[in-house]
Amino acid sequence: MRLMTLLLALSMCACSTSCLPGYESATEEVEVPVAVEIPAPEVSPITWQDCSGNLNDHPCDFTFKDQSDNDWNLYDHYGSILVLDFSVMWCGPCKTAAAQVSEHMDQYGDEDVIWVTILLQNETGEDVDLIDVQSWADDFGVPSSSPVLQGDYSIVDVTSADGYPVTSYPTLVVVDRGMVIYRGIHGWSRQQVEGWIEELLLLDSEEEDSE
């Protein structure tokens, strides 16, 4: 009789929500965690491996210290229009160009156009250091939004095959938003350089109108 009573109690327990304290009934709703959408990783626009100093090619990447002693990398600025100014500190036309950088940034800075000065020699023809680039920025009122870099000749190649064809000072290279060399000039001509920038800005405007 006891055995029958125990079996009856156990059979009733299988259908009861109170037989095993702490266990939930299978008939109760269990909250299912909501799946969290993981964003896809950003795809870098830098997909090429070849570079040169030729028109219509991708410029060769470089990283130099700026006037704040921070690393400045060329490819980090994909999407901007860049004016690369290869200068030396003893060069008169280089100083003429430098004196107009502030005006240039006032005129085009809001359009995400960046003037980048790469100093290759100091006043005595030696390697450029932090004091040199700070002096250049201070003397010509170059704004902090326009980097002045402690460059060297590792990025120069007069054949243009593996670097920039700096054969006179200044040499200026205009790079478009797709990180492609658009135009270049040996010597300084504000009218020429600003004309190329205006052409690129006009292309931007035409692309926006077509979308």
Side-chain angles (χ1 to χ4, degrees), residues 33-137:
V34 178
V36 178
E37 184 176 350
I38 301 175
E42 292 186 10
V43 178
S44 171
I46 311 299
T47 58
W48 61 87
Q49 298 191 2
D50 295 331
C51 70
S52 80
N54 295 313
L55 299 184
N56 302 316
D57 281 355
H58 296 293
C60 295
D61 196 17
F62 57 78
T63 300
F64 291 125
K65 295 285 188 180
D66 64 13
Q67 66 266 47
S68 298
D69 205 28
N70 295 321
D71 285 337
W72 193 94
N73 174 258
L74 177 67
Y75 284 4
D76 283 348
H77 296 272
Y78 181 97
S80 299
I81 295 174
L82 304 168
V83 179
L84 307 181
D85 170 6
F86 298 91
S87 286
V88 291
M89 295 183 70
W90 47 262
C91 158
C94 300
K95 296 177 181 180
T96 300
Q100 298 173 30
V101 171
S102 179
E103 295 177 17
H104 168 92
M105 293 303 294
D106 286 343
Q107 184 172 356
Y108 296 112
D110 290 343
E111 302 287 349
D112 196 17
V113 179
I114 307 173
W115 187 293
V116 185
T117 304
I118 304 101
L119 290 178
L120 299 173
Q121 294 179 9
N122 65 14
E123 287 282 3
T124 59
E126 298 175 341
D127 292 342
V128 177
D129 60 20
L130 178 60
I131 294 175
D132 292 323
V133 295
Q134 289 177 339
S135 173
W136 187 269

